Amino acid sequence: MSSSSSWAPRFHRMIDKRLEEKLGFSRVRAAISDRCSTDYAALRVAEEEFSSDGKEIQERLSRTDEMRLILMFEENFPTSGYIDCIGFLEAIGNDASIDQLSLGKLRTLLDTLRKIHHFFRGIKDGIYPCLKKAADGILSFPEVVRRIDGILDKYGEIKDSASDALFEIRREIREKELSVSRRINTILRKAQQDGIVDTDAGISIRDGKMLIPVNSSRKKALPGFVHDESASGKTTFIEPAEIVEMNNEISELHFAETREISKILREFSDFLRPYVPDLLIAAAFIGEMDFLMAKAQVALDYIAGMPVISTDGTLSLRKARHPLLEKALKKEKKPIVPLTVTLSPEKHILLISGPNAGGKSVCLKTAGLLQYMFQWGMLIPTSESSELPVFDRIMVSIGDDQSIDNDLSTYSSFLADMRSMLSEADGKTLVLIDEFGSGTEPAAGGAIAEAILAALDARGTYGVITTHYTNLKLYASGAQTGVVNGAMLFDAQKIEPMFKLEIGLPGNSFAFELARKMGLPEEIVKDAENRAGEEFVGIERNLRKIARNRKALDEKLQKIRATDKTLEQITDKYQKELSDIKQLRRNILDEAKQEAEDIIRSANKQVENTIRTIKETQAEKTATQDARKELQDFLGALEEKKVRDKRNREEYLEKKLQDLEKRKEKEKARKARRSRTEGQETSSAELEEQQINAFRSAPLQVGEKVRLKDNGMVGEISKVSAKAVSVIVGSITTKLPRERVERVTSNEYRTALRQTAPPPRQQYDLGLSERKLNFKPEIDLRGARVGEAIEIVMRFLDDAIMLDVPSVRILHGKGTGALREEIQKYARTVRGVTSVSDEHIQFGGSGVTVVKFR
């Protein structure tokens, strides 16, 4: 690929947030965004728009569907290692220098790119054509990888061999550190012999320095610098004077090491700069793969598939399910009723009527949401035999947009929506109108609604409309209109909706039946029926009877046409088979005739040769016998050839039969997979959980975003070792076991960073007050092991934050300093902590840690 614009988001129009909110697509967009690992992919989700370009929609759908199949069936495709690199690559292109963490990120990105290339190289052409073609256009940068591997080891540390100068510096550091260790141990033994230091004392570490614990009464006997004192004051920690100079030399070497590493990274940046344009394309490609994986994972959650783009204007949703409603119903362990809807240029508006709470609005929103998802490039939860046309726009009037600020009532809001629709709607528009014409006086509202419906019908506008108005049902029953009735079925015996849509019949509101079920007094219901009059009841009854008769007639006509078509197909099939059989017979006879002629020619030639040989040798006995033997050998070879040809043909036929059986088995398995994809509803939650677990547990890599399981804080991985990872949390780097962190998505990372400790609420809670009275702002951990102590500190700090304690003291003693170091390191990662420091020397010094909160 030649430019990064190939993967850049394409803009068509401003995103209609109101439309997306009304349809529920904003929640679908959020679900996809939550699955993105990179900021690039999350931005793609936010900026991807509704498209009216059929080719672009097909490309989006094909890529997403191929990724869905990859996630379902391919184990070798990399699902982790997708990180953001565009920011620092652009900076390098502007003459900046790369840092060690970014170098590790770049290696992770290139490793993921290598795995993707390796995967598609092993896939035959035609299996995943769109993604394979996209991957083929991306470079793999083997020289960049080689240079990075020469600088970083497998754990993300700079190698000693990264340069000759660094190798020498680190060799000197090791030698001098060894000399310091030997020398301080010699000083310790001598101090013990002189009685300055206890015989069982050992070297202590304070702030990375090796110190000798001296009896405070004899501290002047050991020349050096005092660094610390025990809580009791009996022990003083001294750095011997002769070690100071050696440590200073080591510090200078560490400064030299830092300068050399900076030089190595600058030189690498200079080397990398010419590759930056192509690397930016590769980084965008990795982000695009992350974007497609997020879409595919949500598609798997929804049990979604790829519909067909209609070329004749047919909108055919088969077994369609509203993904958000289905998820909500599953939590309640309730099944969803699939929706089947068909619109065409002849019947392009569906008018749904039926009882309240019977599912009319759900049908409308299902059709609208799935159409929007389809034109956004998202797979939809329907049968894959569904067909959808491409609309230029979708317009809705759903819910109540009344506003005090705009002085809009419910009906005024409806009329404003109708004005917009009538100004733009045409044959390439899908309109969705809920409770058409309601909100005003029924006679006037019904008349206005019928006039608007007639106008939309005349323009060829597609639509799904819900209503209770009888005059609209009568309009839809007309043979010359482009409107078709649809009824939400109702169980009259159980007095409850069935949530099933029946096309061709008008619905009944079942208002009187519902009134009885809800416990309205019988005399009131009967009075209402009398007031409505027999005419009202008769209209409803006759309307449904007419529609039912017309539907039955249409079904019979359709059945007759289908039968005629089937007979024609069967006749054509038999004619073709007969023609093929005759042609095959002619071919077999021609081949047999040709073969017979060849055999006769060969035999005649052989006989002539035999006769000539006998004549030339005057019929000598030996020559005659040889000639006869040669003729018999020829005839034997001829017979053997016939047997061999027959055996080869039988083997060929047997192989074909086996191939046929295998194809049947594969087809059966494919159908079983399809039926699972379309019909199994109980497995989607398990599949979603498996996907999340797989995402969390995949091997961690440098640059990925993680969450600390202990306290929920988030950070980026800077180094990865066999058993631990180094995580940058804010400005602090902490080393943790792998099992104490988990991978998070880009959205989860950003959300956690935005969250702050909630302000304390002013409310009186007896339990909380009692805990605050009993809470002691000091804890003693002397003698505890590190793991045990950290667990106690976690709970202690949590309680302190919850109880709004300004500061606490943690008594851990001085010892070797290991416990103090781990406690302070952990405390600095806790959200809400403002400072972590040693206590004043008079109150315990480094033997006590003081933690203050905001």
Side-chain angles (χ1 to χ4, degrees):
M1 301 183 75
S2 59
S3 71
S4 60
S5 62
S6 303
W7 290 110
R10 294 181 282 267
F11 298 93
H12 303 279
R13 55 178 69 82
M14 291 294 291
I15 294 174
D16 190 338
K17 293 186 178 180
R18 173 185 175 271
L19 173 63
E20 293 193 357
E21 285 288 341
K22 294 284 187 182
L23 293 177
F25 183 76
S26 55
R27 292 169 61 188
V28 176
R29 193 190 286 270
I32 298 170
S33 183
D34 288 342
R35 293 300 187 94
C36 295
S37 296
T38 62
D39 291 340
Y40 177 98
L43 185 62
R44 284 283 284 113
V45 175
E47 294 181 344
E48 189 82 309
E49 295 176 352
F50 176 91
S51 174
S52 56
D53 184 334
K55 289 184 179 179
E56 184 176 0
I57 293 169
Q58 184 64 62
E59 182 182 358
R60 292 181 185 182
L61 291 172
S62 297
R63 286 181 174 180
T64 306
D65 193 51
E66 288 178 14
M67 184 60 77
R68 177 181 69 98
L69 295 174
I70 286 173
L71 294 182
M72 285 176 68
F73 302 121
E74 306 291 350
E75 296 180 353
N76 297 327
F77 188 83
T79 54
S80 61
Y82 294 84
I83 56 174
D84 292 295
C85 292
I86 292 177
F88 69 78
L89 285 173
E90 289 176 340
I92 292 170
N94 293 325
D95 294 331
S97 181
I98 197 169
D99 56 41
Q100 186 175 337
L101 175 60
S102 297
L103 186 62
K105 287 183 178 182
L106 181 59
R107 182 166 69 175
T108 298
L109 180 137
L110 293 178
D111 185 56
T112 304
L113 188 63
R114 177 189 61 78
K115 291 175 182 176
I116 293 174
H117 275 135
H118 178 74
F119 171 79
F120 283 114
R121 278 196 296 269
I123 296 294
K124 292 181 181 178
D125 292 340
I127 305 298
Y128 305 117
C130 294
L131 295 182
K132 184 177 175 69
K133 181 181 178 182
D136 287 344
I138 305 297
L139 301 178
S140 55
F141 310 100
E143 182 59 23
V144 175
V145 173
R146 188 188 68 79
R147 288 288 292 266
I148 294 175
D149 288 342
I151 296 173
L152 293 181
D153 63 17
K154 63 180 182 180
Y155 301 128
E157 299 281 7
I158 303 291
K159 288 182 175 180
D160 293 355
S161 58
S163 73
D164 293 339
L166 184 62
F167 183 86
E168 286 300 318
I169 291 169
R170 287 184 171 174
R171 183 184 60 77
E172 287 186 44
I173 289 173
R174 285 192 294 272
E175 288 178 354
K176 289 193 176 294
E177 285 177 342
L178 182 61
S179 298
V180 168
S181 179
R182 288 172 178 169
R183 183 58 192 150
I184 199 167
N185 276 291
T186 300
I187 295 171
L188 175 65
R189 286 194 297 272
K190 186 175 186 307
Q192 288 171 334
Q193 292 171 1
D194 295 343
I196 300 172
V197 178
D198 294 339
T199 56
D200 60 346
I203 302 297
S204 293
I205 306 294
R206 290 287 190 279
D207 297 326
K209 294 183 180 295
M210 302 176 74
L211 309 176
I212 294 178
V214 180
N215 293 328
S216 295
S217 59
R218 303 289 307 277
K219 62 184 178 183
K220 292 184 179 179
L222 183 65
F225 291 89
V226 174
H227 281 267
D228 204 354
E229 193 177 66
S230 67
S232 62
K234 293 181 179 180
T235 305
T236 301
F237 296 90
I238 297 176
E239 181 183 16
E242 56 185 293
I243 299 298
V244 172
E245 185 57 35
M246 298 174 72
N247 280 335
N248 288 342
E249 291 176 5
I250 292 173
S251 296
E252 289 177 4
L253 286 171
H254 280 300
F255 293 143
E257 177 188 29
T258 302
R259 289 193 297 272
E260 182 60 24
I261 289 173
S262 297
K263 179 184 174 185
I264 292 167
L265 294 176
R266 281 197 306 273
E267 290 175 352
F268 176 80
S269 300
D270 294 338
F271 154 78
L272 190 67
R273 203 158 282 117
Y275 292 94
V276 164
D278 289 324
L279 282 168
L280 285 170
I281 297 172
F285 171 76
I286 290 295
E288 190 72 15
M289 291 295 103
D290 182 32
F291 168 60
L292 291 174
M293 278 201 301
K295 288 174 68 179
Q297 286 165 351
V298 173
L300 288 171
D301 293 347
Y302 292 163
I303 317 178
M306 184 170 73
V308 177
I309 296 182
S310 173
T311 56
D312 60 0
T314 299
L315 186 156
S316 177
L317 286 171
R318 298 184 178 94
K319 297 181 181 179
R321 308 179 317 279
H322 193 293
L324 305 177
L325 175 62
E326 184 176 28
K327 201 165 187 178
L329 289 174
K330 279 179 183 174
K331 290 180 181 178
E332 300 174 7
K333 297 184 179 179
K334 294 180 181 178
I336 192 169
V337 180
L339 170 70
T340 296
V341 174
T342 300
L343 297 177
S344 65
E346 293 76 31
K347 292 290 184 181
H348 47 88
I349 297 178
L350 173 62
L351 186 76
I352 305 175
S353 52
N356 287 319
K360 299 189 300 296
S361 297
V362 170
C363 289
L364 177 144
K365 289 182 179 180
T366 299
L369 175 60
L370 299 196
Q371 181 70 40
Y372 196 96
M373 289 171 65
F374 161 74
Q375 292 195 228
W376 190 80
M378 183 63 186
L379 306 181
I380 59 175
T382 67
S383 166
E384 291 191 355
S385 59
S386 295
E387 293 183 61
L388 293 175
V390 176
F391 294 110
D392 287 343
R393 66 192 65 82
I394 297 176
M395 307 184 76
V396 302
S397 178
I398 300 173
D400 187 358
D401 281 337
Q402 63 177 313
S403 169
I404 295 175
D405 295 335
N406 298 328
D407 194 25
L408 284 178
S409 67
T410 299
Y411 193 66
S412 298
S413 172
F414 163 76
L415 292 176
D417 288 339
M418 294 304 101
R419 183 183 59 206
S420 298
M421 286 185 185
L422 292 171
S423 67
E424 295 186 53
D426 56 18
K428 297 287 286 181
T429 303
L430 174 66
V431 299
L432 306 165
I433 308 173
D434 196 22
E435 298 295 344
F436 194 24
S438 63
T440 189
E441 192 275 321
I448 292 172
E450 187 174 346
I452 294 171
L453 180 60
L456 294 174
D457 181 16
R459 298 181 188 190
T461 302
Y462 283 68
V464 180
I465 300 173
T466 70
T467 189
H468 286 286
Y469 286 144
T470 302
N471 64 312
L472 300 183
K473 301 177 198 176
L474 285 169
Y475 179 90
S477 299
Q480 305 304 316
T481 70
V483 185
V484 61
N485 272 306
M488 298 309 301
L489 299 184
F490 189 85
D491 191 327
Q493 291 182 343
K494 296 181 180 178
I495 316 297
E496 62 183 23
M498 297 169 67
F499 303 107
K500 290 182 180 178
L501 175 67
E502 187 171 1
I503 304 292
L505 293 177
N508 192 321
S509 65
F510 291 95
F512 302 129
E513 290 83 351
L514 286 171
R516 285 191 175 94
K517 183 183 179 183
M518 296 305 295
L520 217 61
E522 181 62 25
E523 60 272 16
I524 298 294
V525 177
K526 281 190 175 296
D527 185 35
E529 287 177 331
N530 293 331
R531 289 174 184 275
E534 187 63 32
E535 184 181 355
F536 170 80
V537 178
I539 289 173
E540 288 284 335
R541 186 184 300 116
N542 291 330
L543 190 60
R544 290 183 63 79
K545 185 177 179 180
I546 292 168
R548 191 179 293 109
N549 290 339
R550 176 175 291 152
K551 184 182 179 186
L553 181 60
D554 289 343
E555 287 176 353
K556 285 181 180 179
L557 288 172
Q558 189 175 357
K559 190 174 181 181
I560 291 169
R561 291 193 193 101
T563 303
D564 289 343
K565 189 175 181 181
T566 302
L567 286 172
E568 288 176 7
Q569 289 174 347
I570 291 171
T571 303
D572 292 343
K573 180 183 176 184
Y574 286 155
Q575 288 289 348
K576 187 176 184 302
E577 287 182 356
L578 182 61
S579 175
D580 291 344
I581 289 169
K582 288 180 179 178
Q583 183 62 41
L584 181 62
R585 181 174 177 274
R586 283 195 296 271
N587 292 342
I588 291 171
L589 288 174
D590 290 344
E591 289 176 6
K593 189 183 293 183
Q594 184 64 41
E595 187 176 353
E597 289 175 358
D598 292 343
I599 291 170
I600 291 169
R601 277 197 298 271
S602 299
N604 288 338
K605 187 177 180 182
Q606 187 66 30
V607 171
E608 289 171 1
N609 289 339
T610 303
I611 293 170
R612 186 169 61 253
T613 301
I614 293 172
K615 286 180 178 179
E616 288 174 357
T617 57
Q618 286 88 33
E620 290 183 6
K621 187 176 181 180
T622 304
T624 301
Q625 289 175 347
D626 290 344
R628 283 177 178 171
K629 185 176 183 303
E630 188 175 346
L631 181 60
Q632 289 171 352
D633 289 344
F634 170 76
L635 293 173
L638 198 63
E639 186 65 27
E640 186 178 334
K641 180 177 181 299
K642 288 181 181 178
V643 173
R644 187 170 60 252
D645 288 348
K646 183 179 180 182
R647 185 171 61 249
N648 289 343
R649 185 169 180 271
E650 287 175 351
E651 289 176 356
Y652 174 79
L653 291 174
E654 181 67 26
K655 186 175 183 301
K656 285 292 182 185
L657 284 172
Q658 290 176 359
D659 290 345
L660 185 60
E661 288 296 326
K662 287 179 182 177
R663 282 201 299 272
K664 284 182 179 178
E665 289 296 325
K666 286 182 180 178
E667 181 67 17
K668 191 183 293 183
R670 186 180 67 80
K671 286 181 178 178
R673 282 198 302 270
R674 179 183 293 176
S675 66
R676 285 198 301 272
T677 302
E678 292 181 357
Q680 281 190 355
E681 298 179 354
T682 56
S683 62
S684 64
E686 296 174 3
L687 181 61
E688 182 178 357
E689 187 177 351
Q690 289 171 4
Q691 290 171 355
I692 293 172
N693 290 338
F695 173 76
R696 302 285 191 213
S697 60
L700 297 169
Q701 300 181 60
V702 173
E704 290 191 309
K705 301 173 179 70
V706 294
R707 174 168 47 227
L708 279 60
K709 293 180 180 179
D710 294 340
N711 56 21
M713 297 193 71
V714 294
E716 282 190 355
I717 294 179
S718 61
K719 296 171 188 174
V720 179
S721 63
K723 295 182 179 180
V725 292
S726 295
V727 183
I728 301 175
V729 182
S731 59
I732 299 167
T733 301
T734 181
K735 192 172 184 180
L736 296 165
R738 289 191 177 203
E739 60 271 14
R740 287 179 60 186
V741 299
E742 62 181 1
R743 182 184 284 104
V744 295
T745 65
S746 178
N747 273 12
E748 289 174 319
Y749 179 79
R750 287 198 302 272
T751 301
L753 286 180
R754 285 196 299 265
Q755 287 177 344
T756 56
R761 291 180 295 175
Q762 298 296 319
Q763 67 177 52
Y764 187 70
D765 186 332
L766 289 173
L768 196 63
S769 299
E770 186 178 349
R771 289 180 66 182
K772 194 165 186 177
L773 288 171
N774 294 330
F775 181 78
K776 296 180 180 178
E778 182 173 299
I779 190 171
D780 190 347
L781 298 175
R782 286 177 294 183
R785 294 183 178 181
V786 172
E788 177 189 358
I790 294 297
E791 291 291 331
I792 296 171
V793 169
M794 279 174 52
R795 292 191 292 271
F796 180 62
L797 296 183
D798 286 346
D799 285 348
I801 292 171
M802 184 179 69
L803 299 173
D804 198 23
V805 177
S807 66
V808 294
R809 299 174 79 249
I810 303 172
L811 179 60
H812 43 66
K814 295 185 177 180
T816 62
L819 182 58
R820 165 185 170 273
E821 186 175 346
E822 289 299 320
I823 288 173
Q824 292 193 358
K825 185 186 293 184
Y826 169 75
R828 290 189 179 98
T829 67
V830 176
R831 191 184 292 112
V833 170
T834 56
S835 72
V836 180
S837 61
D838 291 339
E839 181 59 281
H840 190 276
I841 192 71
Q842 293 180 336
F843 304 107
S846 61
V848 179
T849 293
V850 177
V851 180
K852 295 182 180 179
F853 306 99
R854 63 166 68 96

